Amino acid sequence: MLYFLKDLEEFWGPFRLFEYQSVRAVLAGFVALLLGAVVAPRLIRRLQNVIQPERGRDLLGAAAQEKRKVPTMGGLVIFFSALAGTLLCARPNVYVFCALTVFVGMTAVGFWDDFQKVVRGNADGMSSRLKWALTSLTALAAFGILLCKGGFRMDLLEIWMPLMKRPLVAFDGAVISSNDLSTLGALLFAGGVCALFWFVCVGTSHAVNLTDGVDGLAGGCAVPSVFVLGIVSYLVGNARWAAYLNIGYVAGVGELAIFCAALAAGILVFLWFNGAPATIYMGDTGSLALGGALGATALLTGHPLLLAISGGVFVVETVSVMIQTNYFRYTKRRYGEGRRVFRMTPIHHAWQLGGTPNTKIVVRCWIVSLALAVLALISLKMR
């Protein structure tokens, strides 16, 4: 909305500043911070009766260290802050609509899951299959919005790898090129891109959801990745910087930097209240939406591998669950009893059981996330 004030430059010169994405990104962050600071305390008071069941008490025992009754659905703080900042400051285009579709849709899925747990008393919430189905539908709906852009063009299909001077996937001039394919092959190629979009969006969403188990862990680890994707969005959407860094120019995708700025500000406000000892939990309302937003933004910029680097903590958490689950099933078939690689997964629970304090786990993961974010940005220049 503020973008269109640039047309009033003749009435007041400073209005021209709203044309610049960097200015609007800063404003989006301030709007999200201010709105979050106002909304969060009121939301916490309203949610006092919406109590998160004592997490991990039966499995972790004293290591759970959660003797207080703390409200959940704190992801609403992030949602309202980021949505307001984006709608107010971003220039509407297909990339913004796509990212917001994933963000809003997965917030709704997470909210319904939390609602089932804390209001209707269903400790398990919605089934895993239903949660996967709904998040998948959200991702596919967002991909459908991309088709409104006018079909599969180069800026939609480019997938860049760190340290490579050419995109791995694109329409031409790439390692894999759809120009060399038949009509059927092109359709299969487009289907593969759709599958990739689904995999990254839904996979990242559930990866952040798995990581959300200790006060400040998921939110704090997400902030560096959001900043990385915000910077990448701005660079990819700027023709001069994209040419200098050889990362592929995509007109309009720079508006996602405004979305990332608002999202980062919303997370920081939430962390103000979620830091140990937490006064509110993120819940699936926030974790599913946060992961989905990260995945969508990474794909829309054409750099999903940067998310895998900067979000390394989420990758490790998810891989630990996959290893534990598959090894348990294998040993149960082979030996008649399931065996475990780790004490408990996601891996941060194993560290808890090992006696590591929650605050130390969180701070160490923050440090690792920050270091990986720096590494991801450095890889842009190492082409």
Side-chain angles (χ1 to χ4, degrees), residues 219-233:
C221 291
V223 170
S225 291
V226 175
F227 274 110
V228 167
L229 293 177
I231 293 171
V232 172
S233 298

Side-chain angles (χ1 to χ4, degrees), residues 1-3 18 20-21 23-31 83-92 255 258-259 262:
M1 292 171 57
L2 291 179
Y3 169 79
F18 292 112
Y20 299 103
Q21 292 171 347
V23 173
R24 287 184 283 117
V26 173
L27 287 175
F30 274 119
V31 168
L83 185 64
T86 303
L87 292 179
L88 185 63
C89 300
R91 179 184 182 182
E255 295 298 320
I258 287 90
F259 172 64

Side-chain angles (χ1 to χ4, degrees), residues 116-140:
Q116 295 289 323
K117 294 176 183 176
V118 300
V119 176
R120 295 194 172 180
N122 181 0
D124 296 327
M126 69 172 65
S127 66
S128 297
R129 289 184 178 180
L130 179 59
K131 189 183 297 186
W132 274 91
L134 292 177
T135 51
S136 297
L137 285 175
T138 300
L140 293 177

Side-chain angles (χ1 to χ4, degrees), residues 39 122 126 162 168 198 204 275:
V39 168
N122 181 0
M126 69 172 65
L168 176 66
W198 167 83
T204 308

Side-chain angles (χ1 to χ4, degrees), residues 2-341:
L2 291 179
Y3 169 79
F4 297 105
L5 290 177
K6 73 179 182 62
D7 296 328
L8 302 178
E9 177 186 353
E10 60 184 56
F11 297 103
W12 193 45
F15 276 142
R16 68 180 182 277
L17 294 175
F18 292 112
E19 184 176 2
Y20 299 103
Q21 292 171 347
S22 55
V23 173
R24 287 184 283 117
V26 173
L27 287 175
F30 274 119
V31 168
L33 282 173
L34 291 175
L35 181 64
V38 172
V39 168
R42 291 168 172 77
L43 186 63
I44 291 172
R45 287 196 295 271
R46 294 291 298 271
L47 294 175
Q48 287 299 322
N49 295 325
V50 185
I51 303 298
Q52 169 78 33
E54 293 188 27
R55 303 179 298 173
R57 174 63 61 183
D58 296 335
L59 295 174
L60 291 173
Q65 297 179 8
E66 294 185 17
K67 300 178 181 179
R68 300 164 293 108
K69 295 293 185 178
V70 180
T72 187
M73 298 185 185
L76 291 175
V77 175
I78 303 174
F79 173 72
F80 289 126
S81 301
L83 185 64
T86 303
L87 292 179
L88 185 63
C89 300
R91 179 184 182 182
N93 65 25
V94 67
Y95 301 110
V96 174
F97 288 142
C98 179
L100 287 180
T101 297
V102 174
F103 185 58
V104 173
M106 292 195 178
T107 297
V109 175
F111 179 83
W112 181 247
D113 187 39
D114 287 335
F115 183 84
Q116 295 289 323
K117 294 176 183 176
V118 300
V119 176
R120 295 194 172 180
N122 181 0
D124 296 327
M126 69 172 65
S127 66
S128 297
R129 289 184 178 180
L130 179 59
K131 189 183 297 186
W132 274 91
L134 292 177
T135 51
S136 297
L137 285 175
T138 300
L140 293 177
F143 189 79
I145 291 176
L146 284 179
L147 300 184
C148 298
K149 188 173 183 290
F152 289 98
R153 299 195 326 218
M154 182 183 295
D155 58 3
L156 177 60
L157 289 178
E158 283 189 351
I159 303 297
W160 290 77
M161 296 280 289
L163 309 181
M164 291 182 64
K165 292 187 177 182
R166 293 189 301 163
L168 176 66
V169 178
F171 252 85
D172 52 22
V175 179
I176 303 173
S177 175
S178 64
N179 280 348
D180 300 328
L181 303 176
S182 62
T183 301
L184 177 61
L187 290 175
L188 293 175
F189 182 63
V193 175
C194 179
L196 177 64
F197 191 91
W198 167 83
F199 175 77
V200 175
C201 285
V202 177
T204 308
S205 177
H206 288 273
V208 176
N209 184 238
L210 289 173
T211 307
D212 181 32
V214 182
D215 296 345
L217 180 59
C221 291
V223 170
S225 291
V226 175
F227 274 110
V228 167
L229 293 177
I231 293 171
V232 172
S233 298
Y234 178 79
L235 296 175
V236 171
N238 186 295
R240 185 173 300 177
W241 278 109
Y244 173 71
L245 294 171
N246 190 29
I247 56 176
Y249 168 64
V250 183
V253 82
E255 295 298 320
L256 290 177
I258 287 90
F259 172 64
C260 290
L263 183 60
I267 299 171
L268 291 175
V269 172
F270 170 76
L271 286 174
W272 185 272
F273 299 95
N274 182 243
T279 53
I280 192 168
Y281 293 146
M282 181 183 291
D284 285 10
T285 304
S287 59
L288 289 177
L290 185 53
L294 287 171
T297 306
L299 278 165
L300 292 171
T301 61
H303 292 79
L305 268 298
L306 288 184
L307 176 59
I309 296 173
S310 64
V313 171
F314 303 130
V315 174
V316 171
E317 295 272 14
T318 305
V319 170
S320 70
V321 173
M322 295 172 63
I323 292 174
Q324 185 90 316
T325 302
N326 288 305
Y327 184 73
F328 185 87
R329 291 174 178 172
Y330 168 75
T331 53
K332 190 170 185 178
R333 289 196 305 268
R334 181 74 180 269
Y335 305 108
E337 63 175 2
R339 301 176 183 178
R340 293 175 172 82
V341 178

